[in-house]
Amino acid sequence: MASVTSLTSAVHQRLANALSAALPESADADPLLRRSDRADFQANGILALAKKAKTNPRELAAQVVARVTTGDVIGDIEVSGPGFLNITVTDRAITENLAARAADADGRLGVPYAEHPGTTVIDYAQPNVAKEMHVGHLRSAVIGDSVVQLLEFTGENVVRRHHIGDWGTQFGMLIQYLDEHPHELDHKASEVTGEEAMSNLDRLYKAARRLFDSDEEFKTRARRRVVDLQAGEPHTLAMWQKFVDESKIYFFSVFEKLDMEIRDADIVGESGYNDMLAETCRLLEESGVAVRSEGALCVFFDDIKGPDGNPVPLIVQKSDGGYGYAATDLSAIRDRVFNLKANTLLYVVDARQSLHFKMVFETARRAGWLGEDVTAYQLAFGTVLGKDGKPFKTREGETVRLVDLLDEAIERASAVVREKAQDLSEAEIAERGAQVGIGAVKYADLSTSANRDYKFDLDQMVSLNGDTSVYLQYAYARIQSILRKAGGTRPAAHPELDLTEAERALGLHVDAFAETVAEAAKEYAPHKLAAYLYHLASLYTSFYDKCPVLKAETPQQTENRLFLCDVTARTLHQGMALLGIRTPERL
C-alpha cells in the first residue's frame, strides 16, 4: 500500500509549486520547511533564493504567498521578518491526515518503505565464549537490535551477524588448563546449564589466564594447544565445541532476559572464517596491499601514526604464522560482500576500536573488496558509566555482570509496578516488572546518542517522571484505560470539528512519526525516535490535562478525542516496539 503523505510533505509540495511559479528558474529549489514555535511551520529558503536571483526577499516571499492555495491543507500563510514564511495548517487537514494514517490497512501509520532498499549486514551483540557477559556487552546488543528493527520496518533486507569470540589463544589456554587440572572442573557441570555453567567456565578461564601470565612453560604448552585446535585435533576440538555449545545456551538465556531474538543461524563467530584466512592473506600480499615486515604481514598507512610519530601498521598475520583479528575481520568483509551480497556493512562496536576498523575498512578498499557500491560503517558507541561518572564497576572494582544488572532492574521495576498496581495478580506484576525493568534499561541506552557515554542510574531509569520508558509506558497504559472506560463509544475522526491548542499540538506531532522513523533508520539513530516518543508522551499528558475525553461537550468531540487517544497509543506502541520495548496494556 502507498504510504500516507504527511502534512509536512503536503505543505512542502504546495510551497514548492508556488515558488516555482514565482521564480521559474528555481523549479527544484527547497523551501527549507521546518516546524516552528511561531506557527505550525516556517519556510526559510526564500532568503537564499532571493539573494541568488538578486531580488528583494520580502517581495519574492509575497509573490510566493500570492500563489499558494489556501483552505484545504494550508489555512494561513504570512511573510515574517526579512522573508520567512509562517504557515498554519487547517484543523481539518490535521484530523483527515491522522484518519488516513489510522486507516492504513497494513498498520504502518504512514511510515514509508525506503525508496531504494538494499542488503545490510549488521554485526552486533558479540559476547565471548567461556566468559560471562558484562555491562560492556549491553550497548552493542541494545543499539544493534533497535537498528535492526528500524531497518527491517523500512524495508531493508537485514542480515544479522553475531561475531562471537570463539577462537584464538584463550581456548588453547583454557583447554590446556583443564587437561592439567581436571579436578577443578565442577563434576556437576554436565548437569547444569546457563548461568551456573557459565560461572564455572568463567572461573576456570580466569584461573587459566593467571597461570598463562605467570608461567612461561604453561604459556608455551597453551600455544601448542592452539595449533592443535587450528589443526582440528579431535580431543581439543571436542572440548572447544563443548565450550561453544555451553556458552550459546547461556547467551540465549541472557538475550531472552533482554527480550531480544538471537537466532543460532545468525551466530557466525571468529571460527566461521577460518577457512578463508590463508586466502585473505595471499590476496593481500599478491596485490601489494600488505607487505612482509620482520616476518609479519602488515598493511601500512601514511595518515595513521602512533604516539612516537611512526606509522602504525595493521598486522594481518603474525611473524609466527598466527592470524590476528584483522585477518578474521577482513575475511568477514569478503564473505559479507561477495557471498551475502551486502550493500552496507554496519558494525555496532565500542568506540575504542575505531582505529582498528578504520584500518580494516581502508585495507578492504585498497584490496577492492569495498567498492563504490558498498558502504562500511562503524556505529561506534560510548561507555556505560556509574553515577560517579566513571566506568561502571562493582564496589570491589569488578566489571558488573549483565544478568545481575538486569535482575536488579526487574526487581526495582516490579516494586514500582506493585506500588501502582490495580487488580494485578502476582504473576501479572512479575510480567509487567520484567517489561518495565528491561524497557527502562534499553530506553536509558537508546535515548542517548550512541557515541556518547551515559550514566547507569536505576533509580532514575524506573522513575515515572522525566525522560524514561516508564513514563512512556504509563502514558500508553493510561490511554488503554480510557479506551476501556469508553465502553460502546468508539474512536472516530471528525474533521469538521475545530481543535484546541493541545489537540493541534498532539495531532501535528503524531503526524511527524513517519518522517522520524525514516530519519532514525537512515541515520542509524534510535535516539531520535526515543526523543520523538518522549515528546509525544509529554504532549499527550498536556492534552489529557486540558481536554476532557469521556466528558467532552458533545458526543462528536468525545469520539474525536478518543480517536486522538487511539492514534497516539498506536504510535507509542509501534515506536516503542522499534526500540525493542514492550508497552503493557495495564500498569
Side-chain angles (χ1 to χ4, degrees):
M1 180 176 176
S3 61
V4 180
T5 301
S6 69
L7 286 172
T8 304
S9 299
V11 173
H12 185 282
Q13 187 59 54
R14 283 161 175 75
L15 281 184
N17 292 342
L19 189 54
S20 179
L23 198 66
E25 60 268 33
S26 64
D28 297 324
D30 187 348
L32 298 181
L33 189 69
R34 62 177 180 81
R35 291 299 309 275
S36 171
D37 294 333
R38 298 178 180 272
D40 294 334
F41 297 96
Q42 187 175 82
N44 301 337
I46 287 177
L47 276 74
L49 288 171
K51 184 177 181 181
K52 187 176 179 181
K54 298 181 180 178
T55 187
N56 183 290
R58 278 190 67 88
E59 288 180 6
L60 178 57
Q63 292 173 33
V64 171
V65 168
R67 288 167 171 79
V68 171
T69 301
T70 59
D72 57 346
V73 174
I74 296 177
D76 185 49
I77 180 168
E78 61 179 19
V79 180
S80 172
F84 302 131
L85 295 179
N86 287 339
I87 301 122
T88 302
V89 297
T90 64
D91 290 352
R92 174 176 286 275
I94 294 173
T95 304
E96 286 181 343
N97 231 51
L98 293 182
R101 288 174 184 271
D104 198 347
D106 53 14
R108 296 180 58 79
L109 299 170
V111 176
Y113 287 103
E115 290 183 13
H116 305 289
T119 296
T120 294
V121 175
I122 177 167
D123 189 327
Y124 70 108
Q126 311 106 343
N128 295 306
V129 166
K131 295 182 186 177
E132 290 182 291
M133 292 176 69
H134 55 77
V135 68
H137 292 112
L138 179 65
R139 301 207 72 188
S140 177
V142 170
I143 295 169
D145 184 58
S146 180
V147 172
V148 166
Q149 305 302 327
L150 283 163
L151 291 177
E152 289 185 338
F153 192 66
T154 52
E156 183 77 354
N157 175 38
V158 178
V159 180
R160 311 170 191 206
R161 279 292 176 266
H162 308 297
H163 193 85
I164 64 172
D166 67 348
W167 204 248
T169 303
Q170 65 265 39
F171 294 99
M173 180 178 73
L174 182 56
I175 294 167
Q176 187 65 32
Y177 184 85
L178 275 174
D179 267 3
E180 295 180 10
H181 304 80
H183 59 284
E184 288 198 27
L185 183 63
D186 188 338
H187 293 294
K188 296 180 181 178
S190 59
E191 302 171 17
V192 298
T193 57
E195 292 180 27
E196 189 177 349
M198 204 61 192
S199 293
N200 289 334
L201 272 181
D202 196 70
R203 173 181 56 79
L204 291 167
Y205 172 80
K206 288 174 180 175
R209 166 58 70 181
R210 284 193 294 272
L211 188 59
F212 184 86
D213 291 340
S214 62
D215 186 330
E216 286 298 322
E217 291 185 0
F218 175 76
K219 182 181 289 188
T220 300
R221 293 194 299 275
R223 285 178 169 162
R224 279 203 299 265
R225 186 55 72 99
V226 177
V227 176
D228 291 341
L229 178 60
Q230 292 173 338
E233 191 275 317
H235 169 67
T236 303
L237 200 60
M239 289 192 72
W240 169 81
Q241 189 63 58
K242 184 180 180 185
F243 295 152
V244 171
D245 293 342
E246 201 64 70
S247 297
K248 279 186 179 182
I249 293 171
Y250 162 75
F251 297 156
F252 289 136
S253 72
V254 177
F255 288 126
E256 184 178 7
K257 187 167 286 190
L258 260 174
D259 199 14
M260 281 175 50
E261 180 191 31
I262 300 291
R263 301 176 300 220
D264 191 57
D266 300 331
I267 299 176
V268 183
E270 296 166 1
S271 64
Y273 304 100
N274 283 343
D275 294 343
M276 299 177 67
L277 300 180
E279 185 181 25
T280 293
C281 292
R282 179 180 63 78
L283 291 170
L284 290 173
E285 189 167 12
E286 287 179 356
S287 64
V289 172
V291 295
R292 293 286 170 182
S293 176
E294 298 180 15
L297 185 63
C298 305
V299 182
F300 289 91
F301 310 88
D302 293 335
D303 60 336
I304 300 176
K305 295 181 172 61
D308 57 2
N310 293 320
V312 176
L314 181 70
I315 300 174
V316 184
Q317 188 177 26
K318 303 170 189 175
S319 57
D320 63 2
Y323 300 104
Y325 290 121
T328 304
D329 288 335
L330 288 163
S331 297
I333 287 176
R334 289 175 55 214
D335 176 61
R336 293 166 184 182
V337 172
F338 300 115
N339 294 334
L340 299 178
K341 309 298 182 186
N343 310 105
T344 303
L345 306 180
L346 183 60
Y347 295 78
V348 188
V349 182
D350 192 314
R352 288 171 291 189
Q353 295 190 44
S354 293
L355 178 60
H356 169 77
F357 278 101
K358 180 180 179 182
M359 293 193 290
V360 166
F361 294 161
E362 176 59 25
T363 299
R365 286 191 191 94
R366 292 181 186 180
W369 303 334
L370 287 178
E372 293 182 1
D373 57 339
V374 182
T375 301
Y377 180 75
Q378 181 194 359
L379 180 50
F381 57 81
T383 304
V384 180
L385 306 175
K387 291 182 183 180
D388 58 1
K390 298 177 181 178
F392 199 30
K393 302 279 187 181
T394 65
R395 290 179 180 176
E396 294 74 32
E398 294 289 324
T399 303
V400 178
R401 295 197 321 161
L402 185 52
V403 288
D404 293 341
L405 181 149
L406 297 179
D407 286 343
E408 186 176 355
I410 292 169
E411 185 180 329
R412 297 275 192 96
S414 297
V416 172
V417 172
R418 179 173 279 104
E419 184 182 328
K420 295 286 182 181
Q422 294 180 352
D423 305 323
L424 291 181
S425 67
E426 280 301 310
E428 288 172 324
I429 290 173
E431 180 186 26
R432 303 296 194 281
Q435 292 174 343
V436 171
I438 296 303
V441 170
K442 288 183 175 182
Y443 186 84
D445 192 317
L446 295 171
S447 59
T448 304
S449 177
N451 59 10
R452 293 177 56 192
D453 300 341
Y454 81 96
K455 292 183 180 180
F456 195 93
D457 182 348
L458 273 177
D459 291 328
Q460 173 59 29
M461 288 179 187
V462 299
S463 171
L464 282 165
N465 302 310
D467 189 4
T468 67
S469 66
V470 192
Y471 178 67
L472 274 64
Q473 288 169 322
Y474 186 69
Y476 177 81
R478 172 187 274 171
I479 296 174
Q480 296 306 317
S481 175
I482 292 172
L483 293 173
R484 286 192 297 271
K485 290 176 182 176
T489 306
R490 308 309 303 157
H494 284 275
E496 73 279 4
L497 293 180
D498 292 336
L499 299 177
T500 66
E501 186 178 336
E503 288 173 313
R504 285 180 57 83
L506 179 60
L508 282 166
H509 194 67
V510 170
D511 182 74
F513 178 64
E515 292 159 2
T516 303
V517 170
E519 181 182 356
K522 183 179 179 181
E523 298 180 11
Y524 313 131
H527 71 281
K528 292 194 172 184
L529 176 58
Y532 167 89
L533 294 171
Y534 173 62
H535 192 192
L536 178 62
S538 300
L539 288 170
Y540 180 78
T541 300
S542 178
F543 161 82
Y544 178 83
D545 290 341
K546 297 174 181 176
C547 303
V549 177
L550 301 180
K551 295 182 179 180
E553 294 178 6
T554 66
Q556 291 81 8
Q557 193 174 53
T558 293
E559 289 178 347
N560 199 59
R561 287 179 177 173
L562 281 171
F563 164 71
L564 280 171
C565 289
D566 184 50
V567 75
T568 298
R570 288 164 64 179
T571 303
L572 277 170
H573 175 76
Q574 182 61 72
M576 294 285 270
L578 293 173
L579 298 180
I581 300 173
R582 305 275 180 177
T583 42
E585 300 287 309
R586 299 171 188 262
L587 274 181

